[in-house]
Coordinates of all heavy atoms in Angstrom, one line a residue:
Q228 N 4.9 -1.9 2.6 CA 5.1 -0.5 2.7 C 4.4 0.1 3.9 O 4.9 0.9 4.7 CB 4.7 0.3 1.4 CG 5.6 0.1 0.3 CD 5.1 0.7 -1.0 OE1 3.9 0.9 -1.2 NE2 6.0 0.8 -2.0
Q229 N 3.2 -0.4 4.1 CA 2.5 0.0 5.3 C 3.1 -0.4 6.6 O 3.2 0.3 7.6 CB 1.0 -0.5 5.3 CG 0.1 0.3 4.3 CD -1.3 -0.2 4.2 OE1 -1.6 -1.4 4.6 NE2 -2.1 0.5 3.5
G230 N 3.7 -1.7 6.5 CA 4.4 -2.2 7.7 C 5.6 -1.4 8.0 O 6.0 -1.1 9.2
Q231 N 6.3 -1.0 6.9 CA 7.6 -0.3 7.1 C 7.2 1.2 7.6 O 7.9 1.7 8.5 CB 8.3 -0.1 5.8 CG 9.0 -1.4 5.3 CD 9.5 -1.3 3.9 OE1 9.2 -0.4 3.2 NE2 10.3 -2.3 3.6
T232 N 6.1 1.7 7.1 CA 5.7 3.0 7.6 C 5.4 3.0 9.1 O 5.7 3.8 9.9 CB 4.5 3.6 6.8 OG1 4.9 3.7 5.5 CG2 4.0 4.9 7.3
A233 N 4.6 1.9 9.5 CA 4.3 1.7 10.9 C 5.5 1.5 11.7 O 5.5 2.0 12.9 CB 3.2 0.6 11.0
D234 N 6.5 0.8 11.2 CA 7.7 0.5 12.0 C 8.5 1.9 12.2 O 9.0 2.1 13.3 CB 8.6 -0.6 11.3 CG 8.1 -1.9 11.4 OD1 7.2 -2.2 12.2 OD2 8.6 -2.8 10.6
A235 N 8.5 2.6 11.1 CA 9.2 3.9 11.3 C 8.6 4.8 12.2 O 9.2 5.4 13.0 CB 9.3 4.5 9.9
K236 N 7.2 4.8 12.2 CA 6.5 5.6 13.2 C 6.7 5.1 14.5 O 6.9 6.0 15.5 CB 5.0 5.6 12.8 CG 4.2 6.6 13.7 CD 2.7 6.6 13.2 CE 1.9 7.6 14.0 NZ 0.6 7.7 13.5
S237 N 6.7 3.9 14.7 CA 6.9 3.3 16.1 C 8.4 3.7 16.6 O 8.5 4.0 17.7 CB 6.7 1.7 16.0 OG 7.0 1.2 17.3
R238 N 9.3 3.6 15.6 CA 10.7 3.9 16.1 C 10.8 5.4 16.5 O 11.4 5.7 17.4 CB 11.7 3.6 15.0 CG 12.2 2.1 14.9 CD 13.3 1.9 14.0 NE 13.2 2.6 12.7 CZ 12.5 2.0 11.6 NH1 12.0 0.9 11.8 NH2 12.5 2.7 10.5
F239 N 10.1 6.2 15.7 CA 10.1 7.7 15.9 C 9.5 7.9 17.3 O 10.0 8.7 18.1 CB 9.2 8.4 14.9 CG 9.2 9.8 15.1 CD1 10.2 10.7 14.7 CD2 8.0 10.4 15.8 CE1 10.1 12.1 14.9 CE2 8.0 11.8 16.0 CZ 9.0 12.6 15.6
L240 N 8.4 7.3 17.6 CA 7.8 7.5 18.9 C 8.4 6.9 20.1 O 8.4 7.3 21.2 CB 6.3 7.1 18.9 CG 5.4 7.8 17.9 CD1 4.0 7.2 17.8 CD2 5.3 9.3 18.4
N241 N 9.1 5.7 19.9 CA 9.5 4.9 21.0 C 11.1 5.0 21.3 O 11.5 4.5 22.3 CB 9.2 3.5 20.8 CG 7.7 3.3 20.8 OD1 6.9 3.9 21.7 ND2 7.2 2.5 20.0
Q242 N 11.8 5.7 20.4 CA 13.2 5.9 20.7 C 13.4 7.3 21.3 O 13.2 8.3 20.6 CB 14.0 5.8 19.4 CG 14.1 4.3 18.9 CD 14.9 4.2 17.7 OE1 14.9 5.0 16.8 NE2 15.6 3.0 17.6
N243 N 13.8 7.3 22.5 CA 13.9 8.6 23.2 C 15.4 9.1 23.1 O 16.4 8.2 23.0 CB 13.5 8.5 24.7 CG 12.1 8.1 24.9 OD1 11.3 8.6 24.1 ND2 11.8 7.2 25.8
V244 N 15.6 10.4 23.1 CA 16.8 11.0 23.0 C 17.3 11.1 24.5 O 16.6 11.7 25.3 CB 16.8 12.4 22.5 CG1 18.2 13.1 22.6 CG2 16.4 12.3 21.0
L245 N 18.4 10.4 24.9 CA 18.9 10.4 26.2 C 20.0 11.4 26.5 O 20.7 11.8 25.6 CB 19.4 8.9 26.6 CG 18.4 7.8 26.4 CD1 19.0 6.5 26.8 CD2 17.2 8.0 27.2
F246 N 20.0 11.9 27.8 CA 20.9 12.9 28.1 C 21.8 12.4 29.4 O 21.4 11.5 30.1 CB 20.2 14.2 28.6 CG 19.5 14.9 27.5 CD1 18.1 14.5 27.1 CD2 20.1 15.9 26.7 CE1 17.5 15.1 26.1 CE2 19.5 16.5 25.7 CZ 18.1 16.1 25.3
D247 N 22.9 13.1 29.4 CA 23.8 12.8 30.7 C 23.3 13.4 31.9 O 22.4 14.3 31.7 CB 25.2 13.3 30.3 CG 25.9 12.4 29.3 OD1 25.6 11.3 29.2 OD2 26.8 13.1 28.6
F248 N 23.8 13.1 33.0 CA 23.3 13.6 34.3 C 23.5 15.1 34.3 O 24.6 15.6 33.9 CB 24.0 12.9 35.4 CG 23.8 13.6 36.7 CD1 22.5 13.3 37.3 CD2 24.7 14.3 37.4 CE1 22.2 14.0 38.6 CE2 24.4 14.9 38.6 CZ 23.2 14.7 39.2
D249 N 22.5 15.8 34.7 CA 22.5 17.3 34.9 C 22.9 18.0 33.6 O 23.6 19.0 33.8 CB 23.4 17.6 36.1 CG 23.1 19.0 36.6 OD1 22.0 19.5 36.4 OD2 24.1 19.7 37.1
S250 N 22.5 17.5 32.5 CA 23.0 18.1 31.2 C 21.8 18.2 30.2 O 21.0 17.2 30.2 CB 24.1 17.3 30.6 OG 24.5 17.8 29.4
S251 N 21.9 19.2 29.3 CA 20.9 19.3 28.2 C 21.7 19.3 26.9 O 21.1 19.5 25.9 CB 20.1 20.5 28.3 OG 21.0 21.7 28.3
A252 N 23.1 18.9 27.0 CA 23.9 18.8 25.7 C 23.6 17.6 25.0 O 23.4 16.5 25.7 CB 25.3 18.9 26.2
L253 N 23.5 17.7 23.8 CA 23.2 16.5 22.9 C 24.5 15.6 22.7 O 25.5 16.2 22.3 CB 22.7 16.9 21.5 CG 21.3 17.6 21.6 CD1 20.9 18.1 20.2 CD2 20.2 16.7 22.1
T254 N 24.4 14.3 23.0 CA 25.6 13.5 22.7 C 25.6 13.2 21.2 O 24.6 13.4 20.4 CB 25.4 12.2 23.5 OG1 24.3 11.5 23.1 CG2 25.3 12.5 25.0
G255 N 26.6 12.5 20.8 CA 26.7 12.0 19.4 C 25.6 11.0 19.1 O 25.0 11.1 17.9
E256 N 25.2 10.2 20.0 CA 24.2 9.2 19.8 C 22.9 9.9 19.7 O 22.0 9.5 18.8 CB 24.1 8.2 21.0 CG 23.2 7.1 20.8 CD 23.2 6.1 22.0 OE1 24.4 5.9 22.5 OE2 22.1 5.6 22.4
A257 N 22.6 11.0 20.4 CA 21.4 11.7 20.5 C 21.2 12.4 19.1 O 20.2 12.5 18.5 CB 21.4 12.7 21.6
K258 N 22.4 13.0 18.6 CA 22.3 13.7 17.3 C 22.0 12.7 16.1 O 21.2 13.0 15.3 CB 23.6 14.4 17.1 CG 23.9 15.6 17.9 CD 25.1 16.3 17.7 CE 25.4 17.4 18.6 NZ 26.7 18.1 18.5
D259 N 22.6 11.5 16.2 CA 22.3 10.5 15.2 C 20.8 10.1 15.3 O 20.1 10.1 14.2 CB 23.1 9.2 15.5 CG 24.6 9.4 15.1 OD1 24.9 10.3 14.4 OD2 25.3 8.6 15.6
L260 N 20.2 10.0 16.5 CA 18.7 9.7 16.6 C 17.9 10.9 16.1 O 16.9 10.7 15.4 CB 18.5 9.3 18.1 CG 17.1 8.9 18.3 CD1 16.6 7.7 17.4 CD2 17.0 8.5 19.9
L261 N 18.4 12.0 16.4 CA 17.6 13.2 15.9 C 17.7 13.3 14.5 O 16.6 13.8 13.8 CB 18.1 14.5 16.6 CG 17.6 14.7 18.1 CD1 18.4 15.7 18.8 CD2 16.2 14.8 18.2
R262 N 18.7 12.9 13.9 CA 18.7 12.9 12.3 C 17.7 12.0 11.7 O 17.0 12.3 10.8 CB 20.2 12.6 11.8 CG 21.1 13.9 11.8 CD 22.4 13.6 11.1 NE 23.3 12.8 11.8 CZ 24.2 13.3 12.8 NH1 24.1 14.5 13.1 NH2 25.0 12.5 13.4
E263 N 17.6 10.8 12.4 CA 16.6 9.8 11.9 C 15.2 10.5 12.1 O 14.3 10.2 11.3 CB 16.7 8.6 12.7 CG 17.9 7.7 12.4 CD 17.9 6.4 13.3 OE1 16.8 5.9 13.6 OE2 19.0 6.0 13.6
K264 N 15.0 11.1 13.2 CA 13.7 11.8 13.5 C 13.4 12.8 12.5 O 12.3 13.0 12.1 CB 13.6 12.2 15.0 CG 13.6 11.0 16.0 CD 13.4 11.6 17.4 CE 13.5 10.4 18.4 NZ 12.3 9.6 18.3
A265 N 14.4 13.5 12.1 CA 14.3 14.7 11.1 C 13.9 14.0 9.8 O 13.0 14.6 9.1 CB 15.5 15.5 11.0
D266 N 14.5 12.9 9.4 CA 14.1 12.3 8.2 C 12.7 11.8 8.2 O 11.9 12.0 7.2 CB 15.1 11.0 8.0 CG 16.5 11.4 7.6 OD1 16.7 12.6 7.2 OD2 17.3 10.5 7.8
W267 N 12.3 11.3 9.3 CA 10.8 10.8 9.4 C 9.9 12.0 9.4 O 8.9 12.0 8.6 CB 10.7 10.0 10.8 CG 9.3 9.5 10.8 CD1 8.9 8.2 10.4 CD2 8.1 10.1 11.4 NE1 7.5 8.0 10.6 CE2 7.0 9.2 11.1 CE3 7.8 11.3 11.9 CZ2 5.7 9.4 11.5 CZ3 6.5 11.6 12.3 CH2 5.5 10.7 12.1
L268 N 10.3 13.1 10.0 CA 9.5 14.3 10.0 C 9.4 14.8 8.5 O 8.3 15.3 8.1 CB 10.0 15.3 10.9 CG 9.6 15.0 12.4 CD1 10.5 15.9 13.4 CD2 8.2 15.2 12.7
Q269 N 10.4 14.9 7.8 CA 10.5 15.3 6.4 C 9.6 14.4 5.5 O 8.9 14.9 4.6 CB 11.9 15.3 5.8 CG 12.8 16.3 6.6 CD 12.5 17.8 6.4 OE1 11.4 18.1 5.9 NE2 13.3 18.6 6.9
A270 N 9.6 13.1 5.9 CA 8.7 12.2 5.1 C 7.2 12.3 5.4 O 6.4 11.8 4.8 CB 9.3 10.7 5.3
N271 N 6.9 12.9 6.6 CA 5.6 13.0 7.1 C 5.2 14.4 7.4 O 5.1 14.8 8.5 CB 5.3 12.2 8.3 CG 5.6 10.7 8.0 OD1 4.7 10.0 7.5 ND2 6.8 10.2 8.3
P272 N 5.2 15.3 6.4 CA 5.1 16.7 6.6 C 3.8 17.2 7.2 O 3.8 18.4 7.7 CB 5.2 17.3 5.1 CG 4.8 16.2 4.2 CD 5.2 15.0 4.9
S273 N 2.9 16.4 7.3 CA 1.5 16.9 7.9 C 1.6 16.7 9.4 O 0.7 17.2 10.1 CB 0.3 16.2 7.3 OG 0.5 14.8 7.4
D274 N 2.5 15.9 9.9 CA 2.5 15.6 11.4 C 3.2 16.8 12.1 O 4.3 17.3 11.7 CB 3.3 14.3 11.6 CG 2.4 13.1 11.2 OD1 1.2 13.2 11.2 OD2 3.1 12.1 10.8
T275 N 2.6 17.0 13.3 CA 3.2 18.0 14.3 C 3.6 17.2 15.5 O 2.9 16.2 15.9 CB 2.3 19.2 14.6 OG1 1.1 18.6 15.1 CG2 2.0 20.0 13.3
V276 N 4.6 17.7 16.2 CA 5.2 16.9 17.3 C 5.4 17.8 18.5 O 5.8 18.9 18.4 CB 6.5 16.3 16.8 CG1 7.2 15.6 18.0 CG2 6.4 15.3 15.7
M277 N 5.0 17.1 19.6 CA 5.3 17.7 20.9 C 6.6 17.0 21.5 O 6.7 15.8 21.5 CB 4.2 17.5 21.9 CG 4.5 17.8 23.4 SD 4.6 19.6 23.6 CE 2.9 20.0 23.4
I278 N 7.6 17.8 21.9 CA 8.8 17.2 22.4 C 8.7 17.5 23.9 O 8.7 18.6 24.4 CB 10.1 17.8 21.9 CG1 10.1 17.8 20.3 CG2 11.4 17.2 22.4 CD1 11.2 18.6 19.6
E279 N 8.8 16.3 24.7 CA 8.6 16.5 26.1 C 10.0 16.3 26.7 O 10.8 15.3 26.3 CB 7.7 15.2 26.6 CG 6.4 15.2 26.1 CD 5.6 14.0 26.6 OE1 6.2 13.0 27.1 OE2 4.3 14.0 26.4
G280 N 10.4 17.2 27.6 CA 11.6 17.1 28.4 C 11.4 16.4 29.7 O 10.5 16.8 30.5
H281 N 12.2 15.4 30.0 CA 12.1 14.6 31.3 C 13.5 14.6 32.0 O 14.5 14.7 31.4 CB 11.6 13.3 31.0 CG 10.2 13.2 30.4 ND1 9.1 13.2 31.1 CD2 9.8 13.1 29.0 CE1 8.1 13.1 30.3 NE2 8.5 13.2 29.0
C282 N 13.3 14.4 33.3 CA 14.5 14.2 34.1 C 14.4 13.1 35.1 O 13.3 12.5 35.3 CB 14.7 15.5 35.0 SG 14.8 17.0 34.1
D283 N 15.5 12.7 35.7 CA 15.4 11.7 36.8 C 15.0 12.4 38.0 O 14.8 13.6 38.1 CB 16.8 10.9 37.0 CG 17.9 11.8 37.3 OD1 17.7 12.8 38.1 OD2 19.0 11.6 36.8
D284 N 14.8 11.7 39.2 CA 14.1 12.3 40.4 C 15.2 13.0 41.3 O 14.9 13.4 42.4 CB 13.3 11.3 41.1 CG 14.1 10.2 41.7 OD1 15.3 10.0 41.5 OD2 13.5 9.2 42.3
R285 N 16.4 13.2 40.8 CA 17.4 13.9 41.7 C 17.3 15.3 41.4 O 17.2 15.7 40.2 CB 18.8 13.3 41.4 CG 19.0 11.8 41.8 CD 20.3 11.3 41.4 NE 20.3 11.1 40.0 CZ 21.4 10.6 39.3 NH1 22.5 10.2 40.1 NH2 21.4 10.4 38.0
G286 N 17.4 16.2 42.4 CA 17.3 17.7 42.1 C 15.9 18.1 42.6 O 15.0 17.3 42.8
T287 N 15.7 19.3 42.6 CA 14.4 19.8 43.1 C 13.4 19.9 41.9 O 13.8 19.8 40.8 CB 14.6 21.3 43.6 OG1 14.9 22.2 42.4 CG2 15.6 21.5 44.7
T288 N 12.2 20.0 42.3 CA 11.1 20.0 41.2 C 11.3 21.2 40.3 O 11.2 21.0 39.0 CB 9.8 20.0 41.9 OG1 9.6 18.9 42.8 CG2 8.7 20.1 40.9
V289 N 11.7 22.4 40.8 CA 11.8 23.5 40.0 C 13.0 23.4 39.1 O 12.9 23.6 37.8 CB 11.9 24.8 40.8 CG1 12.3 26.0 40.1 CG2 10.6 25.1 41.6
Y290 N 14.1 22.9 39.6 CA 15.3 22.7 38.8 C 15.0 21.7 37.7 O 15.5 21.9 36.6 CB 16.5 22.2 39.7 CG 17.8 22.0 38.9 CD1 18.5 23.1 38.6 CD2 18.1 20.7 38.5 CE1 19.7 23.0 37.9 CE2 19.3 20.6 37.7 CZ 20.1 21.7 37.4 OH 21.2 21.5 36.7
N291 N 14.4 20.5 38.0 CA 14.2 19.5 37.0 C 13.2 20.0 35.9 O 13.4 19.6 34.8 CB 13.6 18.3 37.7 CG 14.8 17.5 38.4 OD1 16.0 17.7 38.1 ND2 14.4 16.7 39.4
L292 N 12.2 20.8 36.3 CA 11.4 21.4 35.2 C 12.2 22.2 34.3 O 12.0 22.2 33.1 CB 10.2 22.2 35.9 CG 9.0 21.4 36.4 CD1 8.1 22.3 37.2 CD2 8.3 20.6 35.4
A293 N 13.0 23.1 34.8 CA 13.9 23.9 33.9 C 14.8 23.1 33.1 O 15.0 23.3 31.9 CB 14.7 25.0 34.8
L294 N 15.4 22.1 33.7 CA 16.3 21.2 33.0 C 15.6 20.4 31.9 O 16.0 20.3 30.7 CB 17.0 20.2 33.9 CG 18.0 19.1 33.3 CD1 19.1 19.9 32.5 CD2 18.5 18.3 34.4
G295 N 14.4 19.9 32.1 CA 13.5 19.3 31.1 C 13.2 20.2 30.0 O 13.2 19.7 28.8
E296 N 12.9 21.4 30.3 CA 12.7 22.4 29.2 C 13.9 22.6 28.3 O 13.8 22.7 27.2 CB 12.3 23.7 29.9 CG 11.8 24.8 28.8 CD 11.3 26.1 29.5 OE1 11.0 26.1 30.6 OE2 11.2 27.0 28.7
R297 N 15.1 22.7 29.0 CA 16.3 22.9 28.2 C 16.5 21.7 27.3 O 17.0 21.8 26.2 CB 17.5 23.1 29.1 CG 17.5 24.5 29.7 CD 18.9 24.9 30.4 NE 19.3 23.8 31.4 CZ 19.1 23.8 32.7 NH1 18.2 24.7 33.2 NH2 19.6 22.9 33.5
R298 N 16.3 20.5 27.8 CA 16.4 19.2 27.0 C 15.5 19.2 25.8 O 15.9 18.9 24.7 CB 16.2 18.0 27.9 CG 17.3 17.8 28.9 CD 17.2 16.7 29.8 NE 18.4 16.5 30.7 CZ 18.4 15.7 31.7 NH1 17.3 15.1 32.1 NH2 19.5 15.6 32.4
A299 N 14.2 19.6 26.0 CA 13.3 19.6 24.9 C 13.7 20.7 24.0 O 13.6 20.4 22.7 CB 11.9 19.8 25.5
N300 N 14.0 21.8 24.4 CA 14.5 22.9 23.5 C 15.8 22.6 22.7 O 15.9 22.8 21.5 CB 14.7 24.2 24.2 CG 13.3 24.8 24.6 OD1 12.3 24.6 23.9 ND2 13.3 25.5 25.6

Side-chain angles (χ1 to χ4, degrees):
Q228 289 171 341
Q229 287 176 345
Q231 289 171 346
T232 300
D234 288 346
K236 184 175 183 177
S237 176
R238 281 192 310 275
F239 178 84
L240 293 172
N241 295 320
Q242 290 182 325
N243 297 323
V244 175
L245 301 181
F246 293 87
D247 290 333
F248 174 71
D249 197 26
S250 174
S251 60
L253 296 171
T254 64
E256 186 178 324
K258 290 178 181 179
D259 290 342
L260 183 55
L261 285 169
R262 278 190 284 277
E263 286 180 36
K264 291 183 182 293
D266 290 342
W267 187 89
L268 286 165
Q269 298 293 6
N271 297 279
S273 63
D274 289 330
T275 58
V276 174
M277 172 70 72
I278 305 171
E279 301 175 347
H281 298 273
C282 302
D283 60 37
D284 63 2
R285 296 175 290 182
T287 66
T288 301
V289 173
Y290 181 81
N291 284 338
L292 282 171
L294 180 58
E296 184 176 347
R297 288 193 306 274
R298 287 174 176 170
N300 285 330

